[in-house]
Amino acid sequence: MQLLYSRVYLFFISSCLVVTCEKFTPVVLWHGMGDACCFPFSLGAVQKHLNDSLPGVHMLSIKIGNTVVDDVENSYFMHPNKQVQLACEMIKSDPLLRKGYNAIGFSQGSQFLRALAQRCPVPRMKSFVSVGGQHQGVYGIPNCLSVDHRTCDYIRRMLNHAAYFSWMQHALVQATYWHDPLNEELYKEGSTFLADINNEKSINQSYIDNLMALKNFVMIKFETDTMVQPIESEWFGFYEPGQAKKIQTLQESELYKQDRLGLKQMDQEGKLHFLSLPGNHQQFEWSWFDKNIIDKYFK
Ligand SMILES: *[C@@H]1O[C@H](CO)[C@@H](O)[C@H](O)[C@H]1NC(C)=O
Ligand SMILES: *[C@@H]1O[C@H](CO)[C@@H](O)[C@H](O)[C@H]1NC(C)=O
């Protein structure tokens, strides 16, 4: 009898190792602009690594559209509100995510995942890691720092002119998180995505409650990022209103001081974690990631 019990016990242990062991909280991933769910050189590699660090962990890498090609195109052309809604349906219909999940967003995928946490509270997102996300938007185009400054200014002026036109908001994803510090009012009125999830238009209490339900909100900033302007947006900071030089940290912003989104309270509760790395956009070592993210928040 004794032997039989231990065999049954062993059987359960080993089935846990090979089938769907619930040892680790599942992980949802969302890729960045111009990328897709599953390329072997990007999120495919991330999944492979997570599977090594958290053996058998269930993962869902968000794919918007039927194919990876659609997924890439949609990262430019499908409105984030629609994308977040589709992602919400995906996580709701995945039985292995029923008890909640952790999430990692890459670049713009970070602000989309935050919108998901705020708009789609069931199942519950637990810890959220933003890898070079733009939580206060961008006022610059990718790699603009490396090109001639006059070209840079010209493109900025053009987006400045057209970013908040309704057709542009519905034509180009990046216009929905374009943040013009010279005209904050126009941004608040015109941004059909970021200004909404940041409670800049009005205060949506469920956004606050749902965001505050996170256990951890980890923001990774790349100190020499040439894709994101200003870099401080990766830590939820931005330019001081009215100009585009002086940086304001999250803690110095009105959003924080008035606590329009619950971030001040989260900060006081020790739920916000600000990490920085010396490299360019998305440059990190897996050994660093394991030590500072996986071991701390995913185990
Ligand atoms: C995770 O690792 C296991 C064991 O090596 C392997 O069978 C499985 O296919 C891997 N899954 C993913 C998504 O890489
Ligand atoms: C708050 O956001 C939720 C989710 O997007 C939405 O369903 C609800 O209508 C919003 N509430 C208000 C008062 O705008």
Side-chain angles (χ1 to χ4, degrees), residues 99-148:
K99 292 186 187 160
Y101 60 93
N102 293 321
I104 311 176
F106 296 87
S107 203
Q108 75 179 13
S110 302
Q111 50 269 33
F112 297 174
L113 276 175
R114 181 162 59 82
L116 184 77
Q118 294 176 200
R119 291 177 180 168
C120 183
V122 181
R124 177 72 70 201
M125 189 187 293
K126 295 177 173 176
S127 288
F128 168 42
V129 179
S130 157
V131 185
Q134 299 102 45
H135 297 284
Q136 274 291 12
V138 294
Y139 186 54
I141 55 150
N143 276 325
C144 213
L145 295 172
S146 64
V147 301
D148 166 37

Side-chain angles (χ1 to χ4, degrees), residues 39-228:
F39 289 135
F41 51 84
S42 63
L43 282 248
V46 172
Q47 289 188 70
K48 196 163 176 295
H49 183 83
L50 289 175
N51 194 28
D52 288 342
S53 303
L54 304 167
V57 70
H58 176 62
M59 287 174 276
L60 172 69
S61 187
I62 302 287
K63 179 170 83 173
I64 303 293
N66 292 324
T67 65
V68 286
V69 177
D70 291 345
D71 195 16
V72 172
E73 281 187 3
N74 287 331
S75 78
Y76 294 106
F77 305 122
M78 186 190 284
H79 197 283
N81 292 345
K82 179 73 189 159
Q83 296 196 46
V84 169
Q85 189 194 327
L86 291 173
C88 181
E89 288 161 17
M90 268 176 237
I91 63 160
K92 277 187 190 303
S93 60
D94 184 334
L96 295 176
L97 298 179
R98 228 179 27 230
K99 292 186 187 160
Y101 60 93
N102 293 321
I104 311 176
F106 296 87
S107 203
Q108 75 179 13
S110 302
Q111 50 269 33
F112 297 174
L113 276 175
R114 181 162 59 82
L116 184 77
Q118 294 176 200
R119 291 177 180 168
C120 183
V122 181
R124 177 72 70 201
M125 189 187 293
K126 295 177 173 176
S127 288
F128 168 42
V129 179
S130 157
V131 185
Q134 299 102 45
H135 297 284
Q136 274 291 12
V138 294
Y139 186 54
I141 55 150
N143 276 325
C144 213
L145 295 172
S146 64
V147 301
D148 166 37
H149 272 276
R150 274 171 308 178
T151 317
C152 217
D153 285 343
Y154 175 72
I155 295 168
R156 275 187 181 199
R157 273 204 301 275
M158 234 179 54
L159 257 167
N160 267 331
H161 221 70
Y164 303 120
F165 289 173
S166 172
W167 60 267
M168 184 67 115
Q169 286 284 315
H170 291 276
L172 189 66
V173 165
Q174 289 69 37
T176 69
Y177 58 85
W178 186 259
H179 186 165
D180 182 352
L182 306 183
N183 200 335
E184 289 284 340
E185 289 313 309
L186 194 60
Y187 156 68
K188 289 173 189 175
E189 276 167 36
S191 162
T192 52
F193 172 68
L194 192 69
D196 174 68
I197 63 164
N198 284 0
N199 272 353
E200 296 287 12
K201 292 168 185 286
S202 58
I203 294 203
N204 185 324
Q205 188 60 40
S206 63
Y207 286 175
I208 298 178
D209 298 341
N210 295 337
L211 190 63
M212 286 193 11
L214 285 174
K215 275 201 214 154
N216 296 290
F217 177 7
V218 184
M219 286 173 264
I220 301 173
K221 174 171 92 171
F222 297 92
E223 283 157 20
T224 50
D225 200 320
T226 56
M227 297 273 289
V228 173

